[in-house]
């Protein structure tokens, strides 16, 4: 016969192998870490570090923090900066238009190079313990004003490139929804996170309310936008309006006004372009620039801009442009009105409470790099507002330039303006000889813009926000107890607090949800899987051959 009985017997011998293989594969599927939150078996845990990349207007600044559960008092977490941040150029926004469309291949290579540099910087800042732990470190790449100025399509292209790159970096895998880890912050988010950072560091995460102290308000001036953030009301659970995800398990309403286009880099570029265009229309090839130091010149759109070092002339240009921007966008006028209301409300509230607008019982220790020419400066302030980013950079540069007279870190705006006026009169070559490389917060490429910075910031604070010039209402701050004070720290606090809340019933180690399945096999399990898969494959081939042979045999029997 054709061996039908033998075929059945052979099939029965193959069946246990197939069933055993299916059981093993099923058990492996059950072990996939689709939602790593459980982490009871030790798998799927992230490292105790987090990387936050500030994808700003002028470059990408890489920050690394260590996160531990419990921070004393009401804190849910302890978040500590591991090392000084590292800034890389060009900015991520420079990839706009290169990734999609013509030249996409070259654009993809450029994106890969830039993202590789960011990844290398993160690994360089991470401690050896984090690199050797075998656990992925979550990374957040968050864009600010430079990204906000791009269209949605360009932003999607850049964030898509980020997702594609970091999916191939298992030690820096973001985990969780990629939209959470690679995204553009709104101006309100940027201001709110800067507010979180400041109050978390200065007041221990509880806003100081346990001691009757009010949270600080902030003014932050960056390269592309300016933010004002004023404390609101703390409440358990949800809160309306702009709210912070506090490190003490509550939410705090924060009123934020974000003003796009008023950051120094964007505003200065637009101002120079306006000067150049005006000169070109009049047939001129050279025009004076009151915002640049005397003797400094540059060519913009084919027109030479020659520095005049005129603080008040620059301030007039700045105010004229501010007015033109407000006329061109009605929303800006409304934003400025709201900002002035918030500032006035804060000052009136403190005046009614006594102290002439000064905060009672809060001392802000400002530590300055001891290698700076001004030396280590430790000063106390009781001001209700704190100025961040460019506000600190300018005031500290003025302190380096005029160490005997500049009242740093809490000058009145009149004192700030007086020293800015003096600075603008210094010829460029003389300024370079005296101060180049002396201020750690002023890189050589930025020193040429410090005259403009003074005119811009004084105009913003007085004409824009309505601050009086004769009161000490603001402390300029960049670091506090060796922590850099910027929105990236607030982002680390908020994001890891969210992760903690998702896993607060778990072990002491923090885990994170990961949307990508992962399988962890021991060597013997891997070998067994290979053997069984080969066995199943061989059995299926044998079964097919046997079935074909049986059909041929039966056909031959019929013919016979």
């Amino acid at each position: 016969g054709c061996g039908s009985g033998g075929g059945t017997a052979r099939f029965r011998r193959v069946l246990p192998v197939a069933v055993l293989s299916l059981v093993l594969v099923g058990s492996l599927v059950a072990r996939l870490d689709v939602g790593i939150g459980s982490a009871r078996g030790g798998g799927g845990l992230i490292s105790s570090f987090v990387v936050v990349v500030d994808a700003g207007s002028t470059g990408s600044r890489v920050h690394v923090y260590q996160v531990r559960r419990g921070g004393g008092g009401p804190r849910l977490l302890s978040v500590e900066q591991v090392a000084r941040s590292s800034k890389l150029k060009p900015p991520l926004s420079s990839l706009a238009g290169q990734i999609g469309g013509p030249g996409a291949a070259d654009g993809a290579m450029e994106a890969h190079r830039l993202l590789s540099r960011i990844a290398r910087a993160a690994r360089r800042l991470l401690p050896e313990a984090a690199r050797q732990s075998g656990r992925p470190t979550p990374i957040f790449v968050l864009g600010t004003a430079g990204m906000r100025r791009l269209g949605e399509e360009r932003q999607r292209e850049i964030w898509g490139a980020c997702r594609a790159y970091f999916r191939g970096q298992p030690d820096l895998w973001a985990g969780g929804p990629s939209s959470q880890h690679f995204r553009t912050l709104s101006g309100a988010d940027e201001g709110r996170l800067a507010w979180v950072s400041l109050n978390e560091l200065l007041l221990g995460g509880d806003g100081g309310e346990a001691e009757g102290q009010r949270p600080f308000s902030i003014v932050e001036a960056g390269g592309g936008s300016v933010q004002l953030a004023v404390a609101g009301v703390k409440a358990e659970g949800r809160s309306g309006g702009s709210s912070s995800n506090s490190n003490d398990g509550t939410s705090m309403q924060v009123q934020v006004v974000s003003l796009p286009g008023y950051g120094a880099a964007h505003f200065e570029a637009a101002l120079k372009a306006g000067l150049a265009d005006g000169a070109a229309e009049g047939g001129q090839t050279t025009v004076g620039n009151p915002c640049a130091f005397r003797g400094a010149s540059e060519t913009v759109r084919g027109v030479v801009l020659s520095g005049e070092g005129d603080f008040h002339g620059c301030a007039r240009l700045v105010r004229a442009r501010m007015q033109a921007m407000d006329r061109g966008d009605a929303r800006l006028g409304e934003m400025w009105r709201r900002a002035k209301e918030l500032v006035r409300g804060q000052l009136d509230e403190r005046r009614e409470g006594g102290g002439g607008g000064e905060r009672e019982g809060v001392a802000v220790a400002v530590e300055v790099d001891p290698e700076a020419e001004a030396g280590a400066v430790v000063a106390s302030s009781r001001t209700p507002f704190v100025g961040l980013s460019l506000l600190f950079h300018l005031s500290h540069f003025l302190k380096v330039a005029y160490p005997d007279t500049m009242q740093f870190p809490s000058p009145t705006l009149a004192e700030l303006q007086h020293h800015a006026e003096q600075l603008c009169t210094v010829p460029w070559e003389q300024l370079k000889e005296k101060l180049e490389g002396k201020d750690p917060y002023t890189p050589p490429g930025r020193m040429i813009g410090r005259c403009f910075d003074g005119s811009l910031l004084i105009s913003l604070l007085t004409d824009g926000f309505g601050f009086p010039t004769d009161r000490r209402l603001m402390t300029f701050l960049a670091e506090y107890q060796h922590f850099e004070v910027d929105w990236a720290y607030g982002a680390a606090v908020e994001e890891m607090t969210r992760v903690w809340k998702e896993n607060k019933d778990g072990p002491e180690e923090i885990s994170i949800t990961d949307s990508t399945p992962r399988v962890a096999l021991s060597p013997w399990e891997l070998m067994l899987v290979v053997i069984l898969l080969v066995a199943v494959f061989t059995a299926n081939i044998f079964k097919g051959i046997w079935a074909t042979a049986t059909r041929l045999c039966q056909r031959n029997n019929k013919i016979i």
Side-chain angles (χ1 to χ4, degrees), residues 344-377:
R344 186 165 56 248
Q346 290 288 293
L347 299 183
D348 289 346
E349 189 176 314
R350 283 163 173 78
R351 186 181 295 110
E352 292 169 3
E358 293 188 346
R359 173 184 302 279
E360 294 295 334
V362 176
V364 181
V366 180
E367 298 183 7
V368 177
D369 191 329
E371 295 182 0
E373 186 176 89
V377 178

Side-chain angles (χ1 to χ4, degrees), residues 419-439:
H419 289 88
E421 289 176 8
Q422 281 187 282
L423 183 73
C424 283
T425 64
V426 180
W428 174 234
E429 292 300 325
Q430 182 180 330
L431 189 74
K432 285 198 298 181
E433 182 180 351
K434 179 182 177 183
L435 294 177
E436 191 168 37
K438 299 295 179 63
D439 178 16

Side-chain angles (χ1 to χ4, degrees), residues 89-439:
K89 293 184 178 183
L92 272 180
S93 56
S94 67
L95 297 173
Q98 298 186 49
I99 299 174
D106 292 339
M109 291 179 61
E110 180 60 28
H112 188 275
R113 281 194 292 268
L114 184 52
L115 293 170
S116 295
R117 291 176 59 212
I118 290 174
R120 286 196 299 272
R123 294 184 180 109
R124 187 169 59 251
L125 293 175
L126 280 167
E128 185 68 20
R131 297 196 296 270
Q132 298 296 329
S133 69
R135 296 175 178 175
T137 297
I139 186 169
F140 296 86
V141 184
L142 307 175
T144 55
M147 292 292 288
R148 290 194 291 269
R149 291 173 65 88
L150 304 179
E152 291 186 5
E153 182 180 353
R154 297 305 188 202
Q155 292 183 44
R156 281 195 298 270
E157 291 172 354
I158 293 173
W159 296 134
C162 288
R163 286 192 294 271
Y165 177 81
F166 283 104
R167 283 185 184 278
Q169 310 299 314
D171 60 325
L172 291 175
W173 168 233
S178 58
S179 60
Q180 185 74 14
H181 290 259
F182 309 106
R183 70 185 195 273
T184 303
L185 296 176
S186 67
D189 282 340
E190 185 179 352
R192 177 178 54 78
L193 291 174
W195 182 94
V196 170
S197 176
L198 178 76
N199 286 283
E200 174 72 19
L201 289 170
L202 268 62
L203 300 180
D206 64 348
E209 292 188 354
E211 298 152 4
Q213 300 168 355
R214 297 176 183 273
F216 289 89
S217 299
I218 67 138
V219 179
E220 179 192 38
S225 62
V226 175
Q227 280 72 232
L228 168 74
V230 173
V233 180
K234 178 174 284 192
E236 297 289 339
R238 293 172 53 189
S239 62
S242 298
S243 63
S244 70
N245 192 8
S246 302
N247 193 4
D248 61 358
T250 63
S251 292
M252 173 76 77
Q253 290 185 346
V254 184
Q255 301 295 322
V256 180
V257 177
S258 178
L259 296 145
Y262 287 91
H266 289 172
F267 199 101
E268 186 178 22
L271 188 146
K272 290 177 181 178
L275 285 174
D277 291 345
E281 289 176 4
Q284 298 173 278
T285 58
T286 302
V287 68
N289 178 9
C291 299
F293 293 102
R294 284 186 292 119
S297 64
E298 63 178 314
T299 301
V300 176
R301 300 186 178 184
V303 175
V304 177
L305 305 186
S306 178
E308 296 175 338
D310 181 359
F311 176 92
H312 293 286
C314 182
R316 286 192 292 271
L317 277 180
V318 168
R319 286 194 292 269
R321 173 156 179 79
M322 288 174 63
Q323 293 167 3
M325 290 172 67
D326 293 350
R327 288 194 300 269
D329 187 343
R331 294 173 301 173
L332 287 175
E334 176 60 25
M335 289 177 185
W336 279 119
R337 184 191 64 78
R338 177 61 177 152
K340 286 182 177 178
E341 285 182 356
L342 289 173
V343 170
R344 186 165 56 248
Q346 290 288 293
L347 299 183
D348 289 346
E349 189 176 314
R350 283 163 173 78
R351 186 181 295 110
E352 292 169 3
E358 293 188 346
R359 173 184 302 279
E360 294 295 334
V362 176
V364 181
V366 180
E367 298 183 7
V368 177
D369 191 329
E371 295 182 0
E373 186 176 89
V377 178
V378 179
S380 292
S381 170
R382 300 179 189 277
T383 64
F385 286 87
V386 174
L388 302 177
S389 302
L390 181 60
L391 289 161
F392 171 85
H393 298 154
L394 172 68
S395 61
H396 186 262
F397 184 74
L398 293 175
K399 175 63 180 178
V400 173
Y402 305 103
D404 297 330
T405 57
M406 176 65 181
Q407 297 297 311
F408 181 82
S410 302
T412 65
L413 294 187
E415 292 167 346
L416 189 71
Q417 177 173 331
H418 170 71
H419 289 88
E421 289 176 8
Q422 281 187 282
L423 183 73
C424 283
T425 64
V426 180
W428 174 234
E429 292 300 325
Q430 182 180 330
L431 189 74
K432 285 198 298 181
E433 182 180 351
K434 179 182 177 183
L435 294 177
E436 191 168 37
K438 299 295 179 63
D439 178 16

